[in-house]
Amino acid sequence: MKRARLLLLAVLPLVAAAVYFLAPGLTDASGAAGRDAERPADAGLATPDKKELAQKLVASAENSTLDWRRAYAYIEDIGDGQGYTAGLIGFCTGTHDLLVLVERYTKDHPGNGLARYLPALREVDGTDSHKGLDPGFAAAWREEASVAAFREAQDAERDRVYFDPAVRRAKLDGLGTLGQFIYYDAMVMHGPGTGAGGFYDLRTRAMAQADTPAEGGSEKAYLDIFLDVRRAAMKAESAHRDTTRIDTAQRKFLYDGNLDLRTPLEWKVYGETYKVP
Protein backbone atom coordinates (compact mmCIF):
# COMPACT_ATOMS: atom_id res chain seq x y z
CA MET A 1 0.00 0.00 0.00
CA LYS A 2 1.31 3.37 -0.91
CA ARG A 3 0.43 6.26 1.36
CA ALA A 4 1.48 8.24 4.42
CA ARG A 5 -0.60 9.93 7.08
CA LEU A 6 0.26 13.16 8.87
CA LEU A 7 -2.20 13.50 11.73
CA LEU A 8 -0.57 16.17 13.94
CA LEU A 9 -2.14 19.60 13.90
CA ALA A 10 -0.07 22.29 12.26
CA VAL A 11 -0.62 25.79 10.96
CA LEU A 12 -2.07 25.56 7.48
CA PRO A 13 0.31 27.06 4.95
CA LEU A 14 -0.73 29.97 2.77
CA VAL A 15 -0.55 29.10 -0.88
CA ALA A 16 -0.06 31.65 -3.62
CA ALA A 17 -2.53 31.60 -6.47
CA ALA A 18 -1.31 29.78 -9.56
CA VAL A 19 -2.07 30.27 -13.22
CA TYR A 20 -4.45 27.54 -14.28
CA PHE A 21 -5.11 26.42 -17.85
CA LEU A 22 -8.38 24.51 -18.05
CA ALA A 23 -8.26 21.20 -19.90
CA PRO A 24 -10.70 20.62 -22.75
CA GLY A 25 -14.23 20.06 -21.56
CA LEU A 26 -13.79 21.80 -18.22
CA THR A 27 -15.85 24.88 -19.11
CA ASP A 28 -19.26 25.38 -20.59
CA ALA A 29 -19.78 26.43 -24.21
CA SER A 30 -19.28 30.10 -23.33
CA GLY A 31 -15.95 29.38 -21.63
CA ALA A 32 -17.20 31.06 -18.47
CA ALA A 33 -16.31 29.85 -15.02
CA GLY A 34 -18.99 29.07 -12.49
CA ARG A 35 -21.32 26.19 -11.88
CA ASP A 36 -21.41 23.27 -14.27
CA ALA A 37 -24.53 22.72 -16.31
CA GLU A 38 -27.38 21.18 -14.37
CA ARG A 39 -27.34 17.39 -14.33
CA PRO A 40 -29.61 14.85 -12.67
CA ALA A 41 -28.84 14.55 -8.96
CA ASP A 42 -26.90 11.42 -8.10
CA ALA A 43 -27.40 9.40 -4.93
CA GLY A 44 -23.82 9.68 -3.82
CA LEU A 45 -20.94 7.43 -2.85
CA ALA A 46 -22.62 6.07 0.27
CA THR A 47 -25.22 4.05 -1.64
CA PRO A 48 -24.37 0.32 -1.48
CA ASP A 49 -23.39 -0.10 -5.13
CA LYS A 50 -21.23 3.05 -5.21
CA LYS A 51 -19.60 2.22 -1.89
CA GLU A 52 -18.68 -1.20 -3.25
CA LEU A 53 -17.27 0.48 -6.35
CA ALA A 54 -15.26 2.87 -4.18
CA GLN A 55 -13.62 -0.03 -2.34
CA LYS A 56 -12.69 -1.65 -5.67
CA LEU A 57 -11.18 1.58 -6.96
CA VAL A 58 -9.10 2.04 -3.82
CA ALA A 59 -8.03 -1.62 -3.82
CA SER A 60 -6.81 -1.34 -7.41
CA ALA A 61 -4.38 1.36 -6.29
CA GLU A 62 -3.55 0.05 -2.82
CA ASN A 63 -3.39 -3.72 -3.48
CA SER A 64 -3.50 -4.14 -7.29
CA THR A 65 -6.77 -6.06 -7.16
CA LEU A 66 -10.51 -5.45 -7.32
CA ASP A 67 -11.08 -8.06 -4.61
CA TRP A 68 -10.79 -5.57 -1.78
CA ARG A 69 -11.82 -8.08 0.88
CA ARG A 70 -8.49 -9.86 0.44
CA ALA A 71 -6.87 -6.91 2.19
CA TYR A 72 -8.22 -7.73 5.67
CA ALA A 73 -5.21 -10.01 6.23
CA TYR A 74 -2.63 -7.82 4.48
CA ILE A 75 0.34 -6.60 6.52
CA GLU A 76 3.85 -5.43 5.64
CA ASP A 77 6.31 -2.63 6.21
CA ILE A 78 6.57 -0.85 2.85
CA GLY A 79 9.43 1.35 3.96
CA ASP A 80 7.52 4.64 4.02
CA GLY A 81 8.42 5.51 7.59
CA GLN A 82 5.02 4.50 8.98
CA GLY A 83 5.92 1.09 10.39
CA TYR A 84 3.59 -1.76 9.54
CA THR A 85 0.81 -1.04 7.03
CA ALA A 86 -2.05 -3.46 7.47
CA GLY A 87 -5.62 -4.35 6.73
CA LEU A 88 -8.51 -3.12 4.71
CA ILE A 89 -7.53 0.51 4.36
CA GLY A 90 -3.85 0.45 5.24
CA PHE A 91 -3.94 1.13 8.97
CA CYS A 92 -0.39 1.93 10.16
CA THR A 93 1.44 1.26 13.40
CA GLY A 94 3.12 4.65 13.01
CA THR A 95 0.04 6.78 12.39
CA HIS A 96 -2.21 5.96 15.37
CA ASP A 97 -5.12 4.52 13.38
CA LEU A 98 -3.97 0.90 13.75
CA LEU A 99 -3.59 1.37 17.50
CA VAL A 100 -7.09 2.82 17.76
CA LEU A 101 -8.49 -0.07 15.71
CA VAL A 102 -6.94 -2.70 18.00
CA GLU A 103 -7.95 -0.79 21.13
CA ARG A 104 -11.57 -0.52 20.03
CA TYR A 105 -11.64 -4.14 18.89
CA THR A 106 -10.13 -5.33 22.17
CA LYS A 107 -12.70 -3.38 24.17
CA ASP A 108 -15.45 -5.45 22.52
CA HIS A 109 -13.42 -8.68 22.20
CA PRO A 110 -10.89 -8.74 25.06
CA GLY A 111 -9.58 -12.23 24.33
CA ASN A 112 -8.49 -11.53 20.77
CA GLY A 113 -5.10 -12.52 19.35
CA LEU A 114 -3.85 -8.93 18.98
CA ALA A 115 -4.60 -7.71 22.51
CA ARG A 116 -1.22 -8.79 23.88
CA TYR A 117 0.49 -6.40 21.45
CA LEU A 118 -1.28 -3.29 22.74
CA PRO A 119 1.60 -2.16 25.01
CA ALA A 120 4.03 -2.41 22.09
CA LEU A 121 1.62 -0.66 19.71
CA ARG A 122 1.33 2.23 22.16
CA GLU A 123 5.11 2.46 22.48
CA VAL A 124 5.79 2.54 18.71
CA ASP A 125 2.84 4.82 17.86
CA GLY A 126 4.12 7.74 15.78
CA THR A 127 7.31 5.94 14.74
CA ASP A 128 8.41 3.31 12.24
CA SER A 129 9.71 1.01 14.98
CA HIS A 130 8.83 -2.69 15.23
CA LYS A 131 9.94 -2.87 18.87
CA GLY A 132 7.82 -5.40 20.71
CA LEU A 133 5.95 -6.36 17.55
CA ASP A 134 8.42 -8.70 15.89
CA PRO A 135 8.47 -11.53 15.26
CA GLY A 136 4.84 -12.42 16.01
CA PHE A 137 2.61 -9.42 15.27
CA ALA A 138 2.30 -9.90 11.51
CA ALA A 139 1.30 -13.54 11.90
CA ALA A 140 -1.18 -12.63 14.65
CA TRP A 141 -2.76 -10.00 12.39
CA ARG A 142 -3.22 -12.49 9.56
CA GLU A 143 -4.72 -15.03 11.94
CA GLU A 144 -7.11 -12.51 13.47
CA ALA A 145 -8.27 -11.47 9.99
CA SER A 146 -9.94 -14.89 9.71
CA VAL A 147 -12.31 -13.80 12.51
CA ALA A 148 -15.51 -12.20 11.24
CA ALA A 149 -15.66 -9.77 14.17
CA PHE A 150 -12.22 -8.37 13.32
CA ARG A 151 -13.17 -7.90 9.68
CA GLU A 152 -16.28 -6.06 10.84
CA ALA A 153 -14.12 -3.91 13.13
CA GLN A 154 -11.94 -2.95 10.17
CA ASP A 155 -15.04 -2.02 8.17
CA ALA A 156 -16.35 0.13 11.01
CA GLU A 157 -13.05 1.95 11.53
CA ARG A 158 -12.65 2.57 7.80
CA ASP A 159 -16.09 4.19 7.75
CA ARG A 160 -15.65 6.16 10.97
CA VAL A 161 -12.23 7.64 10.18
CA TYR A 162 -12.09 7.83 6.38
CA PHE A 163 -15.18 7.05 4.34
CA ASP A 164 -17.92 8.87 6.26
CA PRO A 165 -15.89 12.09 6.89
CA ALA A 166 -14.77 12.23 3.26
CA VAL A 167 -18.28 11.84 1.88
CA ARG A 168 -19.70 14.32 4.37
CA ARG A 169 -17.05 16.96 3.60
CA ALA A 170 -17.45 16.46 -0.16
CA LYS A 171 -21.21 16.94 0.05
CA LEU A 172 -20.73 20.14 2.05
CA ASP A 173 -18.40 21.32 -0.72
CA GLY A 174 -21.13 20.61 -3.28
CA LEU A 175 -19.42 17.62 -4.90
CA GLY A 176 -21.12 14.66 -6.55
CA THR A 177 -20.15 10.99 -6.44
CA LEU A 178 -16.81 11.34 -8.26
CA GLY A 179 -15.77 14.24 -6.05
CA GLN A 180 -16.77 12.26 -2.98
CA PHE A 181 -14.56 9.41 -4.15
CA ILE A 182 -11.66 11.75 -4.93
CA TYR A 183 -11.86 13.08 -1.36
CA TYR A 184 -12.10 9.54 0.05
CA ASP A 185 -9.08 8.25 -1.85
CA ALA A 186 -7.07 11.30 -0.82
CA MET A 187 -8.04 10.83 2.82
CA VAL A 188 -7.01 7.16 2.66
CA MET A 189 -3.55 7.98 1.33
CA HIS A 190 -2.77 11.29 3.03
CA GLY A 191 -4.73 10.88 6.25
CA PRO A 192 -7.57 12.94 7.73
CA GLY A 193 -5.24 15.51 9.25
CA THR A 194 -4.77 19.26 8.97
CA GLY A 195 -0.98 19.16 9.11
CA ALA A 196 1.22 19.67 6.06
CA GLY A 197 0.38 17.00 3.49
CA GLY A 198 -2.81 15.85 5.20
CA PHE A 199 -6.18 15.81 3.46
CA TYR A 200 -7.40 19.13 4.86
CA ASP A 201 -4.13 20.80 3.94
CA LEU A 202 -4.57 19.62 0.34
CA ARG A 203 -8.15 20.87 0.31
CA THR A 204 -7.07 24.28 1.64
CA ARG A 205 -4.45 24.57 -1.08
CA ALA A 206 -6.98 23.68 -3.77
CA MET A 207 -9.51 26.18 -2.41
CA ALA A 208 -6.87 28.90 -2.64
CA GLN A 209 -6.90 28.38 -6.40
CA ALA A 210 -10.52 27.50 -7.21
CA ASP A 211 -13.96 27.88 -5.67
CA THR A 212 -15.84 24.76 -4.67
CA PRO A 213 -19.33 24.26 -6.14
CA ALA A 214 -20.73 25.28 -2.75
CA GLU A 215 -18.93 28.60 -3.22
CA GLY A 216 -20.33 29.01 -6.74
CA GLY A 217 -17.42 27.45 -8.60
CA SER A 218 -17.25 24.83 -11.32
CA GLU A 219 -17.20 21.29 -9.97
CA LYS A 220 -14.98 20.04 -12.80
CA ALA A 221 -12.51 22.92 -12.50
CA TYR A 222 -12.26 22.61 -8.73
CA LEU A 223 -11.67 18.86 -8.86
CA ASP A 224 -9.03 19.32 -11.53
CA ILE A 225 -7.19 21.76 -9.26
CA PHE A 226 -7.58 19.42 -6.27
CA LEU A 227 -6.03 16.59 -8.28
CA ASP A 228 -3.18 18.89 -9.33
CA VAL A 229 -2.48 19.71 -5.69
CA ARG A 230 -2.65 16.10 -4.61
CA ARG A 231 -0.45 14.95 -7.49
CA ALA A 232 2.23 17.46 -6.50
CA ALA A 233 2.08 16.25 -2.89
CA MET A 234 2.53 12.64 -4.01
CA LYS A 235 5.47 13.53 -6.27
CA ALA A 236 7.18 15.13 -3.29
CA GLU A 237 7.24 11.81 -1.40
CA SER A 238 9.54 9.04 -2.59
CA ALA A 239 7.07 6.31 -1.58
CA HIS A 240 4.20 7.82 -3.57
CA ARG A 241 5.70 9.13 -6.80
CA ASP A 242 3.60 6.87 -9.01
CA THR A 243 0.51 9.01 -9.59
CA THR A 244 -1.38 6.72 -11.97
CA ARG A 245 -4.27 6.44 -9.50
CA ILE A 246 -4.82 10.10 -10.45
CA ASP A 247 -3.49 10.30 -14.01
CA THR A 248 -5.14 7.26 -15.60
CA ALA A 249 -8.06 6.76 -13.22
CA GLN A 250 -9.58 9.73 -11.37
CA ARG A 251 -8.50 12.33 -13.93
CA LYS A 252 -9.82 10.10 -16.73
CA PHE A 253 -13.25 9.93 -15.08
CA LEU A 254 -13.21 13.70 -14.63
CA TYR A 255 -12.25 14.49 -18.22
CA ASP A 256 -14.86 12.01 -19.43
CA GLY A 257 -17.43 14.13 -17.57
CA ASN A 258 -18.40 11.15 -15.39
CA LEU A 259 -19.13 13.16 -12.25
CA ASP A 260 -21.58 10.52 -11.05
CA LEU A 261 -19.14 7.60 -11.42
CA ARG A 262 -21.50 5.78 -13.73
CA THR A 263 -20.56 2.26 -14.71
CA PRO A 264 -19.18 0.62 -16.77
CA LEU A 265 -15.77 1.98 -15.81
CA GLU A 266 -12.32 1.27 -17.16
CA TRP A 267 -9.09 2.65 -15.73
CA LYS A 268 -5.39 1.93 -15.27
CA VAL A 269 -3.18 1.91 -12.18
CA TYR A 270 0.54 1.12 -12.37
CA GLY A 271 -0.04 0.21 -16.02
CA GLU A 272 -2.61 -2.49 -15.26
CA THR A 273 -6.12 -2.15 -16.68
CA TYR A 274 -9.20 -2.65 -14.49
CA LYS A 275 -12.84 -2.84 -15.54
CA VAL A 276 -16.15 -2.75 -13.68
CA PRO A 277 -19.19 -3.60 -15.81
Side-chain angles (χ1 to χ4, degrees):
M1 297 188 177
K2 296 177 168 60
R3 65 173 177 79
R5 297 195 179 95
L6 300 171
L7 301 179
L8 297 177
L9 294 178
V11 177
L12 293 175
L14 296 176
V15 180
V19 177
Y20 169 50
F21 296 95
L22 285 171
L26 289 183
T27 57
D28 57 26
S30 67
R35 291 187 181 277
D36 299 299
E38 290 294 326
R39 70 181 195 278
D42 65 273
L45 199 67
T47 59
D49 60 332
K50 296 300 185 187
K51 188 173 184 179
E52 175 73 14
L53 175 61
Q55 308 321 311
K56 291 180 177 180
L57 287 164
V58 169
S60 71
E62 296 282 311
N63 299 97
S64 297
T65 181
L66 295 183
D67 184 7
W68 59 271
R69 292 173 178 84
R70 286 171 48 190
Y72 288 117
Y74 167 83
I75 181 167
E76 69 174 319
D77 188 328
I78 63 173
D80 63 351
Q82 306 299 337
Y84 278 117
T85 296
L88 184 65
I89 210 66
F91 305 102
C92 293
T93 55
T95 58
H96 195 62
D97 56 349
L98 190 147
L99 170 61
V100 172
L101 167 64
V102 176
E103 285 180 334
R104 292 169 70 92
Y105 177 58
T106 299
K107 181 178 179 181
D108 294 333
H109 305 277
N112 75 80
L114 298 174
R116 67 183 182 273
Y117 292 100
L118 276 172
L121 288 171
R122 294 184 182 112
E123 184 173 345
V124 304
D125 189 29
T127 77
D128 63 355
S129 174
H130 291 192
K131 183 180 179 181
L133 298 177
D134 291 342
F137 180 69
W141 180 281
R142 295 186 192 101
E143 179 65 24
E144 201 64 26
S146 67
V147 179
F150 186 52
R151 297 194 298 272
E152 292 168 3
Q154 290 192 44
D155 288 340
E157 202 65 7
R158 171 202 63 200
D159 290 351
R160 186 183 74 85
V161 179
Y162 300 102
F163 187 83
D164 292 347
V167 171
R168 182 168 56 250
R169 181 66 264 173
K171 286 184 175 180
L172 289 172
D173 285 347
L175 302 175
T177 302
L178 175 60
Q180 292 164 33
F181 173 73
I182 286 173
Y183 271 22
Y184 173 50
D185 189 66
M187 199 171 283
V188 166
M189 172 173 279
H190 301 280
T194 57
F199 167 78
Y200 285 99
D201 175 45
L202 301 183
R203 176 176 170 270
T204 297
R205 295 190 219 173
M207 291 175 68
Q209 301 181 53
D211 289 337
T212 67
E215 297 172 317
S218 162
E219 183 173 9
K220 292 180 181 179
Y222 170 74
L223 289 174
D224 203 39
I225 287 289
F226 183 88
L227 292 177
D228 283 346
V229 169
R230 184 183 172 197
R231 188 177 189 277
M234 290 175 65
K235 287 290 187 183
E237 300 178 11
S238 60
H240 304 122
R241 287 177 180 167
D242 188 309
T243 57
T244 51
R245 68 198 295 159
I246 292 174
D247 304 332
T248 52
Q250 296 171 40
R251 188 95 72 179
K252 177 182 185 298
F253 306 150
L254 180 65
Y255 286 0
D256 286 346
N258 192 357
L259 296 175
D260 300 335
L261 266 185
R262 298 178 304 276
T263 53
L265 284 180
E266 180 175 329
W267 70 97
K268 290 183 179 181
V269 183
Y270 314 131
E272 186 172 349
T273 298
Y274 297 92
K275 298 179 181 180
V276 171

